[in-house]
Amino acid sequence: MVHGAVLNPAVARKSENLAGTIRIPGDKSISHRSFMLGGLASGQTRISGLLEGEDVLATGRAMQAMGAHVRKEGDTWIIDGVGNGLLLEPEAPLDFGNAGTGVRLTMGLVGTYGFEATFTGDASLSSRPMGRVLDPLRLMGVQVTAAEGDRLPVTLRGPDIAVPITYRVPMASAQVKSAVLLAGLNTPGTTTVVEPVMTRDHTEKMLTGFGADLSVETDADGVRTIALQGQGKLNGQEIDVPGDPSSTAFPLIAALLVPGSRVTIENVLMNPTRTGLITTLLEMGADIAIENRRLAGGEDVADLVVSASDLRGVTVPPERAPSMIDEYPALAIAAAFAEGETVMEGLEELRVKESDRLSAVAAGLKINGVDCEEGKASLTVRGVPGGKGLGSVSPTVAVETHLDHRIAMSFLIMGLAAERPVRVDDSAIIVTSFPEFMDMMAGLGADISAERKAA
Ligand code: S3P
């Protein structure tokens, strides 16, 4: 049981010379979509490199509950899909645990079916806004029952025939874009999404790969219009999931901050909608060699050779936020060790992640001695090169992780370079996205230890 029943506090201590070669587990976004589209398509989908984190496994179980056959042979996941338009009514509520992407995209996928489906999640997921996905579904004719403020648990019942819509996504969100497109799969005619600010494009790419009739036009201002013809046939695919750039952030930043380190990270997804962190770290003076660029499964991938570096503060422009939205907690840690000030802007979406990441990061930095300021949608961090004076003042002081895997991993990385240890109140939640994190970091020489205690 990972979702809050038992907290597993952990402590990270100053380490030296992280070294080695690691292969980061599969990308979470692509893994979710592989289970969804594989479960929906006709015929067989074979997935290698799938992320076996709790979030993704919840999506696999949901697809199984709606008729897909999912099994694992050796390292390959094999899915026999139901065929577009042929999902079955789930007999029990679909529990998505901590997974925002899983629940929001699946609501789109099944919302337009003429049956009832109920969605539940853990305390973190149940506090997150679902209206951003429920609003376009309502426009398509879906009946919605939700807890106060459009939160989980949510029950959806689709109309006999869903209405195709043109939907302008009101916030930079790949999840909202994707939910509308997936709802369009079971809708007659053309479902159109207008995306003023480009976000990760895995749904568009993968839908095209599975045979959907989908077109994308980008105007002179960068506004994208994505048109999907509904009720087409999808065919099972072979998918090789590249390494997750969001998980990469943790060993990457650890290697930059821990003196004497040199770490190679293989097979990292380099899709430009996901590389904002690398761009930013290079601007900060990071020594990251991008080697062996190649195509894998239709995506750019590369190996990163990372050496310890003296970083300097930068201003990260708001328009970069969508391409590094999950990486700000880790970047804030890098900023805590950089010379001068790092200013991060355009962070309003950070408030509705697995936790309010803006305030969780600021609170964690402050209790570990970092000078920072939390704005409404910004974070300013004044760094201490070498980390002198940073870390917990007492063994009873721990960062509150709020059921947020990325808050836990970010502060554990901080402890590897700070003068004093850094503690987090929970590390169990890390299994949602990066179950191998502890072992992989230990293998590089990081001093992180967990002690199991009752909550
Ligand atoms: C994701 C989109 C992002 C991201 C999340 C994964 C996706 O969320 O934070 O971890 O796979 O589409 P938003 O769409 O809410 O920005």
Side-chain angles (χ1 to χ4, degrees):
M1 185 60 214
V2 294
H3 301 302
V6 175
L7 295 182
N8 194 357
V11 55
R13 295 191 163 82
K14 198 163 172 59
S15 304
E16 276 174 28
N17 307 333
L18 301 184
T21 298
I22 52 176
R23 201 177 164 89
I24 293 289
D27 183 61
K28 181 149 74 79
S29 294
I30 295 179
S31 295
H32 276 299
R33 288 157 174 83
S34 298
F35 264 156
M36 287 174 199
L37 295 180
L40 187 66
S42 305
Q44 202 166 78
T45 289
R46 301 173 69 87
I47 313 168
S48 55
L50 184 94
L51 169 66
E52 296 178 1
E54 282 294 320
D55 279 13
V56 172
L57 297 178
T59 292
R61 285 192 292 271
M63 295 310 295
Q64 249 173 323
M66 293 186 291
H69 290 270
V70 179
R71 66 184 195 278
K72 197 177 172 193
E73 271 178 23
D75 291 337
T76 306
W77 285 84
I78 300 171
I79 305 170
D80 291 299
V82 294
N84 187 21
L86 297 172
L87 288 171
L88 303 178
E89 180 162 5
E91 282 171 9
L94 303 172
D95 181 0
F96 281 89
N98 194 252
T101 304
V103 78
R104 292 202 179 109
L105 269 60
T106 306
M107 284 200 247
L109 193 70
V110 299
T112 52
Y113 281 70
F115 58 60
E116 235 174 51
T118 296
F119 301 81
T120 61
D122 72 2
S124 154
L125 194 57
S126 302
S127 71
R128 297 179 67 182
M130 296 298 146
R132 52 182 56 204
V133 167
L134 300 177
D135 287 342
L137 289 178
R138 288 179 174 113
L139 295 174
M140 298 176 92
V142 180
Q143 287 175 37
V144 177
T145 314
E148 171 132 16
D150 271 348
R151 320 256 154 186
L152 298 182
V154 163
T155 298
L156 302 180
R157 172 175 276 284
D160 287 341
I161 300 174
V163 184
I165 57 170
T166 294
Y167 195 70
R168 192 178 173 91
V169 183
M171 67 290 288
S173 170
Q175 291 178 358
V176 176
K177 163 178 67 179
S178 302
V180 177
L181 290 172
L182 295 176
L185 288 173
N186 187 44
T187 302
T190 311
T191 295
T192 306
V193 174
V194 178
E195 188 181 42
V197 180
M198 185 170 182
T199 61
R200 67 192 68 196
D201 58 356
H202 308 305
T203 301
E204 298 92 299
K205 281 186 154 178
M206 291 179 71
L207 278 172
T208 303
F210 274 82
D213 182 349
L214 176 141
S215 66
V216 183
E217 280 174 21
T218 306
D219 74 11
D221 297 325
V223 177
R224 299 170 82 232
T225 301
I226 308 157
L228 173 85
Q229 306 308 318
Q231 300 184 322
K233 188 171 183 220
L234 302 178
N235 297 308
Q237 297 296 305
E238 295 257 336
I239 301 172
D240 187 8
V241 183
D244 195 326
S246 300
S247 301
T248 298
F250 304 106
L252 165 57
I253 290 176
L256 292 173
L257 299 181
V258 173
S261 298
R262 189 175 166 87
V263 171
T264 300
I265 309 173
E266 291 179 340
N267 193 39
V268 179
L269 175 67
M270 294 295 283
N271 178 316
T273 64
R274 303 289 299 280
T275 49
L277 176 71
I278 295 179
T279 305
T280 304
L281 291 170
L282 290 171
E283 287 174 3
M284 295 173 83
D287 183 349
I288 305 170
I290 302 170
E291 298 188 346
N292 197 13
R293 275 188 181 269
R294 57 203 185 273
L295 267 182
E299 290 282 3
D300 290 325
V301 300
D303 303 332
L304 308 180
V305 182
V306 188
S307 304
S309 307
D310 294 331
L311 302 178
R312 51 184 180 273
V314 293
T315 294
V316 189
E319 60 276 12
R320 196 177 292 160
S323 68
M324 55 178 295
I325 193 66
D326 291 335
E327 284 67 84
Y328 283 100
L331 177 66
I333 300 305
F337 294 87
E339 177 82 52
E341 194 172 84
T342 296
V343 182
M344 298 162 247
E345 290 167 335
L347 306 188
E348 52 280 357
E349 281 294 304
L350 283 199
R351 297 220 179 260
V352 289
K353 296 296 178 189
E354 285 82 332
S355 65
D356 174 345
R357 282 190 177 151
L358 202 38
S359 67
V361 168
L365 289 174
K366 282 179 188 158
I367 64 164
N368 285 294
V370 181
D371 180 10
C372 66
E373 262 152 39
E374 174 188 348
K376 219 169 149 216
S378 68
L379 181 66
T380 301
V381 178
R382 282 171 281 274
V384 181
K388 193 148 179 50
L390 302 187
S392 303
V393 283
S394 125
T396 57
V397 173
V399 173
E400 285 185 59
T401 51
H402 305 282
L403 287 178
D404 189 331
H405 53 129
R406 297 199 206 285
I407 298 299
M409 288 186 277
S410 297
F411 282 96
L412 289 173
I413 294 307
M414 179 179 184
L416 304 179
E419 184 184 14
R420 292 193 288 262
V422 172
R423 292 184 169 77
V424 298
D425 67 359
D426 180 44
S427 60
I429 196 69
I430 293 172
V431 297
T432 58
S433 72
F434 195 171
E436 302 82 348
F437 173 80
M438 290 290 197
D439 287 346
M440 224 173 237
M441 293 308 300
L444 295 175
D447 183 352
I448 302 178
S449 48
E451 40 171 7
R452 188 166 289 278
K453 279 189 199 155

